[in-house]
C-alpha cells in the first residue's frame, strides 16, 4: 500500500512539473513579439489547455511566471559560460565564451528575445530577476578572474568591475546575435568576430590596469 501511495504521489508530482513546463513553453510562444505586461493569464491557460484557475497551482501570478521564465533562460546561460571558462588561456576563454553565447542564443532564441525585451521595461519583478542573474554571472566570473595568476594583484572591487564590463559586453553581443539571420553565415561571422574583439579589448585593458 505504501509503495502505491508513493507511486501516486510521484506521478502527480511529475504531471505537475510537466504542466508547469508547458505553461512556461506556452508563454514563450505567445511572447514571440509581445511583452509580458500585454499577456493575460487566460491566454496562457488557453494555450496550454487548462482552466484559468489551474494556473495558480503552478504560479502565484503572471509576474511569478515571468520571473521563472527569466531565471530559466539566465541559468542556462550561466551553466554554459561556466563550462566555457574551463579553458585556461585568456584567448581560449574569449573564443569559447563567444561560441557559447552563439550556441545558447541559437538554441534558446525565444528565451533570449524575452529577456532582452523585458530587461529594461515591463514588469519590475522580472527586471529585478534578470538583474540578479546578471549579478550572479558577474560574481562567478570575478571569482574565476581571482584565480588567474596574471590578475592576483587586482583588488576585489576591480575584479568585479572587470567582470561587469565583460558581462555588459556579452549582453550587447546577445542583442547583436538576435538581430542577425542565422542563415546568413557571413553576417553571423562578422558579429562573432566583432564580439571576440570587444572582449579581447577589455582583456587587454585588464592586462595594463593597476589597482
Amino acid at each position: 500500500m505504501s509503495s502505491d501511495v508513493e507511486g501516486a504521489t510521484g506521478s502527480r508530482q511529475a504531471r505537475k512539473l510537466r504542466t508547469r513546463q508547458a505553461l512556461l513553453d506556452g508563454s514563450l510562444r505567445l511572447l514571440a513579439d509581445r511583452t509580458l505586461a500585454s499577456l493575460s493569464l487566460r491566454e496562457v491557460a488557453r494555450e496550454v489547455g487548462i482552466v484559468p484557475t489551474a494556473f495558480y497551482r503552478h504560479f502565484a501570478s503572471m509576474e511569478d511566471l515571468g520571473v521563472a521564465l527569466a531565471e530559466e533562460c539566465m541559468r542556462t546561460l550561466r551553466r554554459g559560460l561556466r563550462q566555457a571558462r574551463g579553458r585556461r588561456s585568456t584567448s581560449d576563454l574569449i573564443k569559447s565564451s563567444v561560441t557559447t553565447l552563439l550556441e545558447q542564443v541559437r538554441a534558446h532564441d525565444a528565451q533570449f528575445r524575452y529577456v532582452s525585451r523585458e530587461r529594461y521595461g515591463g514588469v519590475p519583478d522580472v527586471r529585478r530577476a534578470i538583474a540578479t542573474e546578471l549579478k550572479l554571472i558577474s560574481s562567478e566570473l570575478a571569482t574565476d578572474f581571482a584565480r588567474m595568476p596574471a590578475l592576483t594583484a587586482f583588488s576585489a572591487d576591480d575584479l568585479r568591475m572587470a567582470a561587469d564590463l565583460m558581462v555588459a559586453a556579452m549582453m550587447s553581443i546577445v542583442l547583436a546575435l538576435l538581430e542577425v539571420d542565422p542563415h546568413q553565415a557571413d553576417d553571423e561571422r562578422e558579429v562573432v568576430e566583432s564580439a571576440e574583439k570587444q572582449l579581447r579589448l577589455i582583456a587587454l585593458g585588464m592586462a595594463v590596469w593597476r589597482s
Side-chain angles (χ1 to χ4, degrees):
M1 180 68 71
S2 176
S3 62
D4 291 341
V5 172
E6 290 175 358
T9 300
S11 179
R12 283 197 299 272
Q13 184 65 20
R15 287 197 300 272
K16 184 175 181 179
L17 290 173
R18 284 196 298 270
T19 302
R20 185 181 191 277
Q21 190 60 50
L23 286 165
L24 292 171
D25 294 342
S27 296
L28 273 179
R29 289 193 296 272
L30 293 171
L31 288 166
D33 54 2
R34 301 170 56 181
T35 62
L36 181 67
S38 71
L39 187 64
S40 73
L41 186 154
R42 288 185 176 278
E43 286 179 280
V44 174
R46 185 167 58 247
E47 176 73 13
V48 178
I50 63 174
V51 296
T53 53
F55 175 94
Y56 294 106
R57 298 174 191 164
H58 308 278
F59 299 101
S61 63
M62 285 296 294
E63 289 79 6
D64 187 30
L65 179 144
V67 167
L69 278 175
E71 290 175 345
E72 183 177 65
C73 174
M74 298 304 292
R75 286 169 184 169
T76 298
L77 178 60
R78 279 174 60 200
R79 285 193 297 270
L81 291 175
R82 196 179 300 128
Q83 293 170 359
R85 292 198 300 273
R87 302 289 182 87
R88 291 187 177 182
S89 73
T90 303
S91 60
D92 282 347
L93 172 61
I94 289 171
K95 185 174 288 292
S96 60
S97 294
V98 173
T99 298
T100 297
L101 277 178
L102 176 61
E103 291 171 350
Q104 294 291 335
V105 169
R106 294 299 175 241
H108 307 283
D109 180 271
Q111 288 93 329
F112 280 101
R113 290 187 186 281
Y114 167 73
V115 166
S116 298
R117 192 181 301 120
E118 299 292 333
R119 185 182 176 194
Y120 293 117
V123 180
D125 286 350
V126 176
R127 292 202 306 270
R128 283 191 289 270
I130 295 170
T132 297
E133 292 295 326
L134 288 173
K135 286 179 182 177
L136 287 172
I137 291 174
S138 288
S139 179
E140 290 180 355
L141 183 56
T143 298
D144 284 347
F145 281 163
R147 298 191 182 105
M148 294 180 178
L151 301 180
T152 52
F154 270 49
S155 68
D157 286 344
D158 284 356
L159 287 172
R160 184 56 185 264
M161 177 179 66
D164 286 344
L165 286 171
M166 284 280 192
V167 171
M170 288 178 185
M171 291 308 293
S172 70
I173 293 165
V174 166
L175 285 174
L177 289 171
L178 287 172
E179 293 174 359
V180 172
D181 184 344
H183 298 102
Q184 299 297 323
D186 289 343
D187 292 345
E188 184 174 88
R189 189 180 305 110
E190 184 178 340
V191 170
V192 168
E193 290 174 354
S194 175
E196 290 180 4
K197 288 179 181 178
Q198 288 180 50
L199 296 180
R200 193 169 291 113
L201 183 60
I202 295 173
L204 288 171
M206 290 170 64
V208 298
W209 180 263
R210 296 292 179 267
S211 287

